[in-house]
Amino acid sequence: MIILIEEAGRKLVSFCNKRKTDRMISLKNGIDKHGLEEFFSKNAIDKKDCVWIVTDRSQVKTADEVHVAAAGQMDMGTQYAFESLREVDAQYLDKIRMRYNGIPWVIGYTKRCMIRELSLSDIPALYDLYEKPGITDFVEPLYDLEKETEYQKNYIKYVYGYFEYGMWLVFDRTDGKLIGRAGLDNREYDGKSELELGYIIAPEYQGRGYAAEVCDFIIGYAWKNTGYDSISCFIEPANTKSRRLAERLGFTNSANVIIGGNYMERWQIFNK
């Protein structure tokens, strides 16, 4: 990641978690759109590698014109903000850079899997996954391509972008193959917002511990990052595999409920 900041503001910034791979480059004070474009061209810098720490509103305007990710203090009017220049988190800046440029975040790794956000380029592989036997027995199928693409575009912007969690993709670390989906969503239940765990695993990977491995990671992620102290699963009684998995993960069957006209079991786990 390349961190840009005007010379006048550089002395005000101190970093948390700055990484050895990060570079910081000073820009000329008062640089405008043409000067910034020339800077990128002259130095062969890809704008997608950059995030600009802006210190006044004219810089915000220039960043918007040049289409480069920008972050500033709360009063700068940037889409992404931080509280103080005295404590800028480099990892947070990198997440801003990725989100602005549509680069999916890697959520984490288990022994055998990588879990990351969906990007629009993943949609063909997602259709392949959903066409496998049994996948849509207990989950909704995908929309037609045009509607699904629009849905995922909005999901990336408004769910990932706001909550920083959602339904993610699961890849086999050995060959990079998409083998499932799993993640966290918000569900309104009994007048309250609840955190819900969801998961599907390709049939050829079922019965081998992949779902438990991934879901166990996601539960730990939820306790560290969401502020919720409980997670629910809503499972149809006929879905015996999911019931067994929920029990294995430490969930208990707490209630029988009707959701969307369907009889469901509500399984819960609490942060200890």
Side-chain angles (χ1 to χ4, degrees):
M1 174 179 64
I2 299 172
I3 301 164
L4 306 175
I5 189 165
E6 283 198 2
E7 293 169 353
R10 183 162 184 165
K11 62 180 180 293
L12 302 175
V13 177
S14 58
F15 282 91
C16 295
N17 304 317
K18 189 175 180 184
R19 302 159 304 182
K20 291 181 180 179
T21 53
D22 297 330
R23 293 169 55 200
M24 192 168 182
I25 298 178
S26 296
L27 300 173
K28 291 181 179 179
N29 294 332
I31 193 168
D32 61 9
K33 173 184 176 180
H34 300 294
L36 190 56
E37 291 281 16
E38 183 180 356
F39 165 81
F40 287 129
S41 177
K42 182 179 179 180
N43 294 283
I45 291 175
D46 187 341
K47 289 183 283 188
K48 290 185 177 182
D49 293 333
C50 300
V51 60
W52 188 0
I53 300 176
V54 295
T55 53
D56 66 51
R57 287 183 176 269
S58 66
Q59 295 169 22
V60 178
K61 181 175 181 292
T62 301
D64 287 343
E65 291 173 340
V66 178
H67 305 295
V68 63
Q73 290 182 264
M74 299 294 186
D75 58 350
M76 287 294 103
T78 52
Q79 182 178 355
Y80 307 102
F82 45 79
E83 291 185 3
S84 171
L85 286 170
R86 297 294 181 188
E87 199 169 283
V88 176
D89 189 305
Q91 291 179 333
Y92 175 62
L93 288 179
D94 202 21
K95 285 185 172 183
I96 291 171
R97 178 190 66 83
M98 295 174 71
R99 180 72 73 222
Y100 181 88
N101 291 294
I103 302 169
W105 294 0
V106 173
I107 304 304
Y109 296 89
T110 67
K111 182 179 179 180
R112 296 178 292 178
C113 300
M114 177 183 75
I115 303 162
R116 73 154 168 82
E117 295 177 341
L118 176 143
S119 70
L120 296 182
S121 63
D122 295 311
I123 290 178
L126 197 63
Y127 275 100
D128 290 341
L129 174 66
Y130 272 68
E131 288 172 359
K132 293 180 181 290
I135 289 294
T136 57
D137 287 354
F138 300 105
V139 299
E140 294 292 326
L142 301 178
Y143 300 118
D144 63 72
L145 180 58
E146 182 178 355
K147 188 174 181 180
E148 186 67 30
T149 300
E150 188 62 26
Y151 172 81
Q152 295 297 350
K153 192 180 297 183
N154 288 325
Y155 195 90
I156 291 166
K157 183 176 181 179
Y158 297 111
V159 178
Y160 291 164
Y162 182 77
F163 295 105
E164 298 189 1
Y165 59 79
M167 286 301 293
W168 299 309
L169 301 184
V170 180
F171 297 88
D172 189 324
R173 291 181 67 173
T174 58
D175 59 12
K177 182 180 178 181
L178 177 65
I179 66 168
R181 294 182 84 182
L184 303 163
D185 261 330
N186 295 319
R187 179 189 285 273
E188 289 296 321
Y189 174 76
D190 199 24
K192 297 187 298 182
S193 176
E194 293 206 358
L195 196 63
E196 180 180 10
L197 174 68
Y199 43 82
I200 58 172
I201 295 292
E204 64 268 31
Y205 289 85
Q206 293 176 13
R208 297 163 58 186
Y210 279 89
E213 181 180 319
V214 168
C215 289
D216 188 60
F217 171 89
I218 291 171
I219 291 167
Y221 181 95
W223 299 150
K224 292 176 184 176
N225 296 284
T226 69
Y228 283 87
D229 59 9
S230 69
I231 303 171
S232 295
C233 290
F234 294 89
I235 303 172
E236 293 185 42
N239 191 352
T240 54
K241 290 181 179 179
S242 282
R243 294 171 78 233
R244 286 197 299 267
L245 175 60
E247 195 167 14
R248 179 178 174 182
L249 291 167
F251 286 76
T252 56
N253 188 349
S254 61
N256 297 321
V257 299
I258 303 294
I259 295 179
N262 295 319
Y263 177 75
M264 309 282 277
E265 296 174 351
R266 182 194 187 201
W267 291 69
Q268 285 185 290
I269 190 172
F270 295 87
N271 191 11
K272 296 177 182 179

